[in-house]
Amino acid sequence: MSEPILTAWLNGQFMPLEGAVVHIEDRGFQFADGVYEVVACVDGRFLDLDAHLARLERSCAAIRIELPLSRDALAALVRQIYERNPFSRAMIYIQITRGAGPRSHYPATSLSPTMVMTSRALPQPTSERVAQGYRAITRPDIRWKHCEIKSIALLASIMGKQEAHDAEVDETFWLDECGHVLEGCSTNTFAVIDGTLVTHPLDHQVLGGITRDLVLRLAGQHGLTVVERPWSLSEGVSECMLSSTTNAVMPVCYIDGQAIADGKPGSTTLQLRQWLIAAMESPET
Amino acid sequence: MSEPILTAWLNGQFMPLEGAVVHIEDRGFQFADGVYEVVACVDGRFLDLDAHLARLERSCAAIRIELPLSRDALAALVRQIYERNPFSRAMIYIQITRGAGPRSHYPATSLSPTMVMTSRALPQPTSERVAQGYRAITRPDIRWKHCEIKSIALLASIMGKQEAHDAEVDETFWLDECGHVLEGCSTNTFAVIDGTLVTHPLDHQVLGGITRDLVLRLAGQHGLTVVERPWSLSEGVSECMLSSTTNAVMPVCYIDGQAIADGKPGSTTLQLRQWLIAAMESPET
């Protein structure tokens, strides 16, 4: 079974993904000097596309890359890369780096940013997988102090995913020095504690997830009590869940080998997942 | 004046640097999932090549990349890339990434590492520049907790270099939470305090610089007292210097706008620079 031919967009041109290459002196390749986004699309409807592009602009500004395209132009390209690829449920990947030039930590001022877009199938867990829930481990946070920037300097997250894989679980949750759960390697994390939905507040230790925002918005709309505060696993957590563009909301039923409550997905988690999936499948709001 | 045509080595082949490209789904480009080395060569003599390659092996092991080539094979390639380029004083850049594959944080096990080598002219400061010395600023360390790994996840260092550039100085020194000077963005740092050469000990907060090692070795051989301990600028620093492959040893005469002693390079610093340059220009030891 051969893969379909996929189309990438690179620096102004659509081309077969296979042939989409960057120079070895691209600063994305040598210095992790870039940022990215992943946007979900279901049947042509993008989830919070404008919020993703707004965050991309903030990420670029934070590391001083001047985005060469307006938000509207980017949105049009995102729609085109979706249409040129064979996935009705897609994740659109967007990456911007500072560009290519002779290696030097301080960037030359004349560089032209490298811009990439691809489309791949959006993973979809089976209903059995949802019913079973994910498992996670916790580790002291080894990442840098600007996790609010969605940068491609992701090696710490890769190492976290390796540890999760070693432990035969799905995700590693990073803990701050007080043992608070910050977020996962590629996900935000939530708990239900005393009937309240709790998640770490936005600061330099967590990424302001677009799906995290949507979870909080949907929870509020449906009358759940929501508190953004540091939380730890010792607080009598009755449910745990994670969120991301590619996971929507997924229950986390075991952490460090210990069951959360009865080790089954909680009702609030499953309800949030339903609301989120409904939002993904409804017309853009 | 056109640049000479430079030669790169990429995944087993020598080729014009201009045409040396990697796929946009190379994990070095998307995840900073790789490591690197920079080796100096003067008139065909490499400075501590074996130590650089040993560190490359340690870096690969730390992030679980299996190096496909032996140290001898790598050393032979380093010599070839030097010979195929027009610089008698060269810095050889070596980069290894986990390879290319459909984007996923946890790497597929079947990936074949991407290997890159280039050669560029080794910068050489003028004697006026040495006499003037460098200037630096200090900033709280924003980097991750594995600075002992020479990874390409360098965005924090790039941001430090941007701040240095804003302040019209040469380097940013990272401070730990107690105000100890750890190292620079691309350099190790030393002070002379009460006649003793002091540098931060090796731990997860500093890279074990090959030039740092050589400085300590040369200092010891010449009877200087050397102590590896945390140090701060409030301790009565009489000299400050930095070291790296591309800088050898350079004096740092102003930090955060304040002169170190009389604002001129110290005698120990200049002596160490001389010894280091002599080591670079003598046959390999």
Side-chain angles (χ1 to χ4, degrees):
Chain A
M1 203 178 78
S2 69
E3 264 208 341
I5 293 174
L6 302 185
T7 298
W9 179 87
L10 173 61
N11 294 333
Q13 302 218 295
F14 291 95
M15 62 184 70
L17 173 60
E18 201 181 275
V21 293
V22 292
H23 194 257
I24 58 170
E25 290 188 320
D26 191 285
R27 295 179 62 88
F29 186 68
Q30 294 194 323
F31 290 113
D33 195 1
V35 297
Y36 75 106
E37 284 294 327
V38 180
V39 188
C41 186
V42 175
D43 298 331
R45 289 186 294 270
F46 291 88
L47 192 65
D48 285 330
L49 175 57
D50 194 64
H52 281 282
L53 297 179
R55 185 172 63 182
L56 185 66
E57 290 171 356
R58 289 197 302 277
S59 298
C60 282
I63 68 169
R64 308 189 196 174
I65 290 178
E66 207 166 317
L67 247 179
L69 292 179
S70 69
R71 200 181 300 181
D72 284 350
L74 283 168
L77 284 165
V78 168
R79 289 175 199 284
Q80 284 180 63
I81 199 75
Y82 173 79
E83 282 158 17
R84 285 171 182 248
N85 281 284
F87 311 111
S88 61
R89 294 175 52 88
M91 48 182 184
I92 309 300
Y93 178 75
I94 311 169
Q95 180 174 334
I96 316 282
T97 79
R98 201 178 306 276
R103 187 177 185 279
S104 159
H105 279 71
Y106 185 74
T109 46
S110 59
L111 300 183
S112 176
T114 299
M115 305 184 63
V116 171
M117 288 191 199
T118 61
S119 174
R120 286 199 174 268
L122 183 66
Q124 193 168 21
T126 60
S127 53
E128 290 75 22
R129 195 79 183 81
V130 177
Q132 185 185 31
Y134 281 170
R135 289 169 299 160
I137 53 173
T138 60
R139 289 290 182 272
D141 191 7
I142 59 167
R143 301 169 308 159
W144 75 326
K145 295 215 170 64
H146 281 296
C147 293
E148 82 281 8
I149 303 173
K150 198 166 173 72
S151 90
I152 56 171
L154 289 168
L155 183 53
S157 299
I158 300 306
M159 293 171 76
K161 291 284 187 181
Q162 285 177 331
E163 289 212 65
H165 188 258
D166 291 348
E168 299 181 349
V169 303
D170 305 284
E171 179 64 298
T172 292
F173 289 172
W174 299 117
L175 302 181
D176 74 8
E177 286 171 7
C178 303
H180 298 127
V181 177
L182 298 169
E183 61 179 349
C185 297
S186 60
T187 58
N188 289 116
T189 51
F190 300 80
V192 177
I193 300 172
D194 293 332
T196 297
L197 184 67
V198 179
T199 192
H200 198 280
L202 295 184
D203 63 14
H204 68 278
Q205 300 172 103
V206 299
L207 181 73
I210 306 298
T211 309
R212 174 188 179 280
D213 280 355
L214 182 54
V215 167
L216 295 181
R217 208 158 68 230
L218 289 169
Q221 282 169 10
H222 288 88
L224 297 186
T225 312
V226 175
V227 180
E228 294 177 67
R229 67 162 175 88
W231 62 277
S232 70
L233 289 163
S234 61
E235 288 186 65
V237 170
S238 61
E239 300 185 33
C240 185
M241 69 197 86
L242 56 74
S243 75
S244 76
T245 292
T246 54
N247 282 290
V249 165
M250 280 291 282
V252 179
C253 298
Y254 285 82
I255 300 182
D256 293 330
Q258 303 291 309
I260 303 296
D262 63 356
K264 297 199 172 67
S267 57
T268 304
T269 303
L270 293 177
Q271 183 64 74
L272 281 164
R273 181 172 171 82
Q274 281 311 110
W275 291 332
L276 204 75
I277 287 170
M280 289 177 72
E281 291 174 358
S282 74
E284 289 178 68
T285 50
Chain B
M1 201 178 78
S2 68
E3 266 209 341
I5 293 173
L6 303 184
T7 298
W9 179 87
L10 173 61
N11 293 333
Q13 302 217 298
F14 291 97
M15 62 185 71
L17 173 61
E18 201 180 276
V21 293
V22 293
H23 193 257
I24 58 169
E25 290 189 319
D26 191 284
R27 295 179 61 89
F29 187 68
Q30 293 194 323
F31 290 112
D33 194 0
V35 297
Y36 75 106
E37 285 293 327
V38 181
V39 188
C41 186
V42 175
D43 298 332
R45 290 185 294 270
F46 292 89
L47 192 65
D48 285 331
L49 175 56
D50 194 63
H52 280 282
L53 297 179
R55 185 172 64 182
L56 185 65
E57 290 172 356
R58 289 196 302 277
S59 298
C60 283
I63 67 168
R64 308 190 197 174
I65 290 177
E66 207 167 318
L67 247 179
L69 292 179
S70 69
R71 200 181 300 180
D72 284 350
L74 283 167
L77 284 165
V78 168
R79 288 175 200 284
Q80 285 181 62
I81 199 75
Y82 173 78
E83 282 159 16
R84 284 173 182 248
N85 281 285
F87 310 112
S88 62
R89 296 175 50 88
M91 50 181 183
I92 309 299
Y93 178 75
I94 312 170
Q95 180 173 335
I96 316 280
T97 78
R98 202 179 304 276
R103 187 176 184 278
S104 159
H105 280 70
Y106 185 74
T109 47
S110 59
L111 300 182
S112 176
T114 298
M115 305 184 63
V116 171
M117 288 190 200
T118 61
S119 174
R120 286 198 174 269
L122 183 67
Q124 192 167 21
T126 61
S127 54
E128 290 75 21
R129 196 80 183 80
V130 176
Q132 186 184 29
Y134 281 171
R135 289 169 297 160
I137 52 173
T138 60
R139 288 291 181 273
D141 191 7
I142 58 167
R143 301 168 307 158
W144 74 326
K145 296 215 169 64
H146 281 295
C147 294
E148 82 281 10
I149 303 174
K150 199 166 171 71
S151 89
I152 56 171
L154 290 167
L155 182 54
S157 300
I158 300 308
M159 292 170 75
K161 292 284 186 183
Q162 285 177 330
E163 289 211 65
H165 188 260
D166 291 347
E168 298 181 352
V169 303
D170 305 284
E171 179 62 301
T172 292
F173 289 171
W174 300 117
L175 303 181
D176 74 8
E177 287 171 8
C178 303
H180 298 127
V181 177
L182 297 169
E183 60 180 350
C185 297
S186 60
T187 58
N188 289 116
T189 50
F190 301 79
V192 177
I193 300 171
D194 293 333
T196 297
L197 184 66
V198 179
T199 193
H200 198 278
L202 295 184
D203 62 14
H204 67 278
Q205 299 173 102
V206 299
L207 181 72
I210 306 298
T211 308
R212 175 187 180 282
D213 281 354
L214 182 54
V215 167
L216 296 180
R217 209 158 67 231
L218 289 168
Q221 282 169 11
H222 288 89
L224 297 187
T225 311
V226 174
V227 179
E228 295 177 67
R229 66 162 175 88
W231 62 276
S232 70
L233 289 162
S234 60
E235 289 187 64
V237 170
S238 61
E239 300 185 32
C240 185
M241 69 197 87
L242 56 75
S243 75
S244 74
T245 291
T246 54
N247 282 290
V249 165
M250 281 291 282
V252 179
C253 298
Y254 285 83
I255 301 182
D256 294 330
Q258 302 293 307
I260 302 297
D262 63 356
K264 297 200 171 64
S267 56
T268 304
T269 303
L270 293 176
Q271 184 63 77
L272 280 165
R273 181 172 171 84
Q274 281 311 109
W275 291 332
L276 204 76
I277 286 170
M280 289 176 73
E281 290 174 358
S282 73
E284 289 178 66
T285 51

